Amino acid sequence: MTTPDAAPQARRVLVAYASRSGATAEIAQWLAERLRSEGEALDVTVAEVSDALDPSGYDVVVLGSALYEGRWLRSASRFARRHRHDLDHAWVWTFSSGPLDDSASTCDIAATNSADRASRHLLARDHVTFGGRLAPDSRGWLAHAMVEGGHGGDFRDRARIDAYADQIAGELSMLPRHRRPAA
Ligand SMILES: Cc1cc2nc3c(=O)[nH]c(=O)nc-3n(C[C@H](O)[C@H](O)[C@H](O)COP(=O)(O)O)c2cc1C
């Protein structure tokens, strides 16, 4: 008697994000939605980075953070530093979200130092900066002053976010399951 070939197991993908006011959390959801739409080959989970989040069971990690004063949020930088060895086997991509104008839609914005450091810790294959969002009712005196100064608005570009998810899915379809076999 022959048994049918087992279907290949879906890759486990973690989209992890650090967000203060929710805009980056939504970008993470959009990336996850698009990755899920690529078929059943990807089993996608979205989670906020925290000390309790353990990424070691995932085959793929997409890690992103909002930018504040030129830097990733501390929780995201710490996550990258802390899990650099747990993710030896995983394929990793990173993203930042911040610019409050259309610059991120019209050109490639280089990673800031902290985003670059995190990306290097995790040997990320690529990093992209997306536009950000500053809501008119943002809290905090600096955010409020920025809104008053005319910097409010939503500059997140869904087409660019979808394109990054498509890029990730396309590369994954050509890569072995793991970057390095588990020891
Ligand atoms: C006080 C403050 C500082 C900011 N600093 C930067 C910055 O240095 N670079 C940048 O690109 N965006 C900066 N931004 C824009 C935020 O990154 C943007 O609003 C982002 O979408 C916020 O994401 P979140 O809602 O996930 O926290 C700043 C916003 C505020 C309110």
Side-chain angles (χ1 to χ4, degrees), residues 18-25 66-70 97-100 132-134 142-143 146:
S19 176
R20 201 180 277 172
S21 301
T24 312
L67 291 169
Y68 283 89
E69 281 132 58
S97 163
L100 297 171
R133 179 196 66 188
L134 184 62
L142 191 47
M146 288 165 72

Side-chain angles (χ1 to χ4, degrees), residues 63-76:
L63 174 65
S65 174
L67 291 169
Y68 283 89
E69 281 132 58
R71 306 171 68 91
W72 266 21
L73 290 169
R74 192 168 303 159
S75 58

Side-chain angles (χ1 to χ4, degrees), residues 147-181:
V147 171
E148 291 289 300
H151 297 290
D154 191 347
F155 300 93
R156 296 170 301 166
D157 179 342
R158 188 79 190 252
R160 210 164 157 83
I161 293 163
D162 283 350
Y164 196 40
D166 292 348
Q167 176 194 327
I168 293 169
E171 288 182 37
L172 280 173
S173 70
M174 293 184 293
L175 289 168
R177 187 176 187 93
H178 291 132
R179 185 157 67 81
R180 201 198 294 163

